[in-house]
Amino acid sequence: FPVTIWPPSSYITIGARPSIGKSAVGAEIALRPARDRNEPTLFISLEMSFRQFALRFMLRGGQIEARDLNRLTYTDDQLKHMIKAASKHREVPMEFWHQPGATIAAIESRIRSDIARRGCKLVVIDYIQLIRAPKGISDRRLQVTHVSNEIQRMSKALNIPIVVLAQVGREAEGAVPTVAHLKESGSIEDDSDIVLLLHREDRAAQQMDVYIAKFRDGEMAKIELAMRRGAVYSLDERDGDFNDF
């Protein structure tokens, strides 16, 4: 993935329609600094279970499809590769926390605990619209606005980058998304320091376009990425050795 170092205390939003690959991008962002620089990272999922997350990494960039694993239709060599990948992941300081319906207060408590215990350097949250707002806020837009405001405050108070995945609205289906498509709250754009929007021509495409739609200290740009079996690579990595984890 082309970006592995994020500014401290920054709030980064990554938006996409369902099944485009935002969870894969989020997982890659959490993985790279943990693997390459041994920096503790935390992936918080309000949707994907630990089993799904672990399976994604066992199959990451390899030769086995999930359907082949479920049907037990894989070769000995493919199984050896999967076991090798799984053993390498045990050594990486990336933790996973699955908490459906978590409040922003519970998420902040978990992050603070992880910073105190391991010195966590980066957090990825999947995804913002699933974070439960406090009681007393009934309007959906106000709920998401409150959560977004709290994430911005938290990133500054804890002085670490927080990467938040977000869904974009149905009007972006089949089109290149814009910040106006971020679902249920314009506050996400206002609060974020960086906004990345993901697009693929179709859900089977092996190329993903990443649009830098907002960057407080940088320029707007388009980045092309390659996808392979749940893993995301820059184009110069696409033809390399996928067996090195």
Side-chain angles (χ1 to χ4, degrees):
F1 194 77
V3 181
T4 62
I5 300 177
W6 303 92
S9 73
S10 56
Y11 170 13
I12 303 105
T13 295
I14 300 178
R17 290 289 297 146
S19 302
I20 292 299
K22 63 180 179 293
S23 292
V25 169
E28 202 73 27
I29 288 171
L31 169 65
R32 296 288 180 119
R35 182 196 67 183
D36 299 342
R37 299 191 298 276
N38 201 40
E39 293 180 356
T41 63
L42 175 64
F43 190 101
I44 298 175
S45 173
L46 289 89
E47 183 177 44
M48 183 167 45
S49 69
F50 177 75
R51 181 183 182 279
Q52 292 170 314
F53 188 78
L55 181 61
R56 177 186 297 273
F57 277 93
M58 289 171 69
L59 302 177
R60 179 186 176 274
Q63 302 168 352
I64 306 178
E65 297 281 3
R67 63 175 180 271
D68 294 330
L69 184 64
N70 291 331
R71 296 171 184 169
L72 303 180
T73 56
Y74 47 79
T75 66
D76 288 344
D77 286 343
Q78 288 174 325
L79 180 60
K80 287 177 183 177
H81 175 270
M82 185 176 67
I83 293 172
K84 179 182 177 183
S87 65
K88 287 184 176 180
H89 281 98
R90 284 198 293 267
E91 302 166 5
V92 172
M94 177 179 67
E95 289 197 359
F96 176 87
W97 188 53
H98 176 54
Q99 194 68 30
T103 63
I104 193 65
I107 288 172
E108 180 171 3
S109 176
R110 181 64 175 81
I111 295 172
R112 286 184 178 276
S113 173
D114 208 65
I115 291 173
R117 180 170 56 90
R118 301 191 302 136
C120 181
K121 300 296 185 184
L122 177 141
V123 176
V124 177
I125 302 174
D126 185 11
Y127 57 92
I128 188 170
Q129 286 93 348
L130 293 180
I131 299 174
R132 186 157 50 91
K135 294 179 180 179
I137 305 177
S138 57
D139 182 83
R140 182 57 184 157
R141 293 184 65 85
L142 292 179
Q143 289 176 350
V144 177
T145 294
H146 172 81
V147 168
S148 180
N149 293 163
E150 285 297 289
I151 292 172
Q152 183 192 46
R153 176 196 60 77
M154 190 164 45
S155 68
K156 305 298 185 270
L158 302 179
N159 195 36
I160 62 169
I162 300 179
V163 179
V164 181
L165 310 185
Q167 282 200 7
V168 299
R170 287 190 182 132
E171 59 272 20
E173 186 68 43
V176 175
T178 69
V179 288
H181 292 137
L182 287 169
K183 195 173 181 181
E184 294 171 333
S185 177
S187 183
I188 297 175
E189 176 194 355
D190 295 338
D191 294 337
S192 299
D193 299 293
I194 301 170
V195 177
L196 308 180
L197 299 172
L198 313 180
H199 176 67
R200 283 195 284 166
E201 289 299 326
D202 61 73
R203 286 170 170 78
Q206 292 190 345
Q207 181 168 314
M208 174 190 289
D209 295 329
V210 180
Y211 293 88
I212 303 176
K214 179 181 179 180
F215 192 176
R216 290 196 197 278
D217 300 313
E219 298 180 354
M220 308 303 98
K222 173 185 171 183
I223 302 170
E224 294 180 347
L225 300 180
M227 295 194 69
R228 177 174 171 179
R229 292 181 173 88
V232 183
Y233 302 88
S234 60
L235 294 183
D236 59 351
E237 295 175 301
R238 177 176 54 185
D239 300 322
D241 182 6
F242 288 92
N243 296 321
D244 64 355
F245 169 69

